[in-house]
């Protein structure tokens, strides 16, 4: 039986001082009180920021849709000289894979709960009563750091998200970088300006919603995890589900049976293409090569051509 790291044990004892704890597997910890936890630790500043972004994202999603993701129980920063680290403890969920029934339940919960603007109102309302877009800490979409911050419009927030990825691609593909800058300057103001996309409000996003980040608990309820959250346009969360398979075709139609497409509805597919660009650019950052960069470039050219017309 593998020992539990002392730092993790300290955090666990803060939760239940009278319990003893047993580690089974890499992260599953069972207490003598029959509580089961997911526990992990890191020892670098970058990983600490990644853990914190994940922790804050999970909290935001649970606030909007209780139980839709693992509940964070404890986050403790570690005092490591000349470095950093953290311990994160969350509830442990035994999960199976995504299937059609789970996807339909998830679509409904996203549409009616997590993507309900009223449920993110407290987190996004400024003192003057207006809403803001973005997130209060950096998050990580895979290994890619997204700086986030607060913005007055979704146009600005998404422009910054795209710009951060284009910055990371500087020196790899001049064509993709050039197209990315034109996307920022022409397409995003065209499709996402408040005067055009008038009736949207910030909602809690998962931010990296592909089939590998979705499961079902023992009762058949959907569970989403490994988020890169922000408060943004609800349609952004749908784009990745269309890209790499894994989600049944009924997922999108079920979602929109509960939450309508934003107006102008005639530009829905263009917006989805625009949101797909983020993920293709991110994959280009992560994996390199020309495949994902070319996928992003094809979509950017199409959108830029429309914006110029």
């Amino acid at each position: 039986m593998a020992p539990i790291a002392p730092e993790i044990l300290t955090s666990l004892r803060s939760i239940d001082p009278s319990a003893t704890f047993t580690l089974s597997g890499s992260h599953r910890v069972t207490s003598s009180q029959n509580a089961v936890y997911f526990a992990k630790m890191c020892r670098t500043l970058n990983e600490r920021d990644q853990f914190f972004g994940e922790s804050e994202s999970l909290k935001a999603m649970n606030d909007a849709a209780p139980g839709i993701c693992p509940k964070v129980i404890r986050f403790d920063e570690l005092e490591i000289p000349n470095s950093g680290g953290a311990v994160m403890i969350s509830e442990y969920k035994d999960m199976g894979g995504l299937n059609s029934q789970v996807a339909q339940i998830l679509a409904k919960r996203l549409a009616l709960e997590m993507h309900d603007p009223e449920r993110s109102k407290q987190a996004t309302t400024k003192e003057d009563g207006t809403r803001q877009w973005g997130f209060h800490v950096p998050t990580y979409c895979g290994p890619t750091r997204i700086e986030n911050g607060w913005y007055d419009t979704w146009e600005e927030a998404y422009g910054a998200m795209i710009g951060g990825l284009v910055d990371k691609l500087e020196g790899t593909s001049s064509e993709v970088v050039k197209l990315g800058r034109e996307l920022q300057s022409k397409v995003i103001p065209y499709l996402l300006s408040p005067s055009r996309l008038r009736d949207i409000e910030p909602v809690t996003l998962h931010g990296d919603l592909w089939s590998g980040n979705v499961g079902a608990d023992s009762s058949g309820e959907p569970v989403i995890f490994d988020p890169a959250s922000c408060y943004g346009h609800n349609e952004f969360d749908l784009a990745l589900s269309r890209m790499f398979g894994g989600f049944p075709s009924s997922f999108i139609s079920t979602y929109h049976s509960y939450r309508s497409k934003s107006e102008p509805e005639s530009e829905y597919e263009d917006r989805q293409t625009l949101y797909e660009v983020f993920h293709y650019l991110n994959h280009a950052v992560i994996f390199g090569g020309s495949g994902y960069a070319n996928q992003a470039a094809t979509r950017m050219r199409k959108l830029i051509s429309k914006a110029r017309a």
Side-chain angles (χ1 to χ4, degrees):
M1 188 180 300
I4 300 174
E7 297 89 343
I8 292 178
L9 198 54
T10 297
S11 293
L12 289 167
R13 285 173 176 161
S14 297
I15 299 167
D16 191 345
S18 64
T20 57
F21 301 93
T22 304
L23 178 67
S24 56
S26 301
H27 301 288
R28 189 179 191 271
V29 175
T30 304
S31 81
S32 56
Q33 308 299 323
N34 295 319
V36 185
Y37 304 101
F38 183 92
K40 62 181 181 178
M41 180 179 69
C42 64
R43 294 185 177 275
T44 69
L45 286 169
N46 185 63
E47 289 176 305
R48 183 195 68 191
D49 288 351
Q50 189 165 1
F51 277 27
F52 190 54
E54 179 186 1
S55 173
E56 294 298 288
S57 295
L58 291 170
K59 289 177 183 177
M61 293 195 302
N62 252 317
D63 285 345
I68 203 168
C69 62
K71 181 180 179 181
V72 177
I73 299 169
R74 193 165 183 92
F75 180 89
D76 294 314
E77 292 191 15
L78 300 178
E79 294 184 7
I80 302 175
N82 303 316
S83 184
V87 171
M88 181 174 159
I89 311 290
S90 62
E91 64 177 323
Y92 185 92
K93 288 182 177 285
D94 284 309
M95 287 188 288
L98 178 67
N99 59 44
S100 179
Q101 183 177 0
V102 171
Q104 290 189 45
I105 298 170
L106 175 61
K108 181 178 180 179
R109 292 207 66 194
L110 288 176
L112 297 182
E113 296 178 59
M114 212 171 91
H115 291 170
D116 177 2
E118 288 299 312
R119 298 191 180 210
S120 63
K121 201 165 189 176
Q122 183 175 354
T124 60
T125 301
K126 297 189 291 185
E127 289 185 2
D128 63 3
T130 59
R131 304 288 291 273
Q132 56 188 351
W133 307 76
F135 207 58
H136 58 289
V137 299
T139 53
Y140 287 72
C141 195
T144 306
R145 182 182 175 102
I146 310 299
E147 292 298 338
N148 293 314
W150 291 112
Y151 301 89
D152 289 333
T153 66
W154 174 235
E155 174 192 342
E156 294 173 281
Y158 190 66
M161 290 165 62
I162 290 291
L165 295 176
V166 174
D167 289 345
K168 295 178 192 299
L169 289 168
E170 286 281 3
T172 63
S173 171
S174 58
E175 174 68 6
V176 169
V177 169
K178 179 182 176 183
L179 289 168
R181 299 303 183 203
E182 194 165 357
L183 192 83
Q184 282 183 277
S185 64
K186 292 186 172 65
V187 177
I188 292 174
Y190 174 74
L191 286 176
L192 304 186
S193 69
S195 61
R196 194 176 198 88
L197 202 57
R198 292 188 297 272
D199 297 325
I200 65 168
E201 296 179 90
V203 301
T204 308
L205 301 179
H206 178 283
D208 192 13
L209 194 64
W210 69 292
S211 59
N213 287 342
V214 182
D217 66 17
S218 56
S219 66
E221 287 295 314
V223 180
I224 55 179
F225 48 91
D226 287 349
S229 292
C230 70
Y231 297 103
H233 183 203
N234 65 295
E235 291 176 358
F236 177 78
D237 256 352
L238 305 180
L240 187 54
S241 71
R242 307 181 351 154
M243 290 170 58
F244 301 123
F247 279 86
S249 58
S250 60
F251 175 74
I252 298 292
S253 59
T254 300
Y255 178 92
H256 284 306
S257 71
Y258 294 102
R259 186 165 295 278
S260 300
K261 298 172 182 177
S262 299
E263 293 291 347
E265 188 174 333
S266 60
E267 293 175 357
Y268 174 83
E269 287 299 327
D270 287 340
R271 293 193 298 271
Q272 286 294 289
T273 300
L274 176 58
Y275 296 152
E276 288 176 4
V277 169
F278 173 87
H279 296 292
Y280 280 117
L281 289 176
N282 186 40
H283 278 66
V285 169
I286 296 169
F287 299 109
S290 60
Y292 291 118
N294 288 341
Q295 293 273 21
T298 297
R299 285 158 176 76
M300 289 191 287
R301 289 191 194 99
K302 174 185 173 183
L303 292 169
I304 289 166
S305 176
K306 284 193 170 186
R308 286 173 176 168

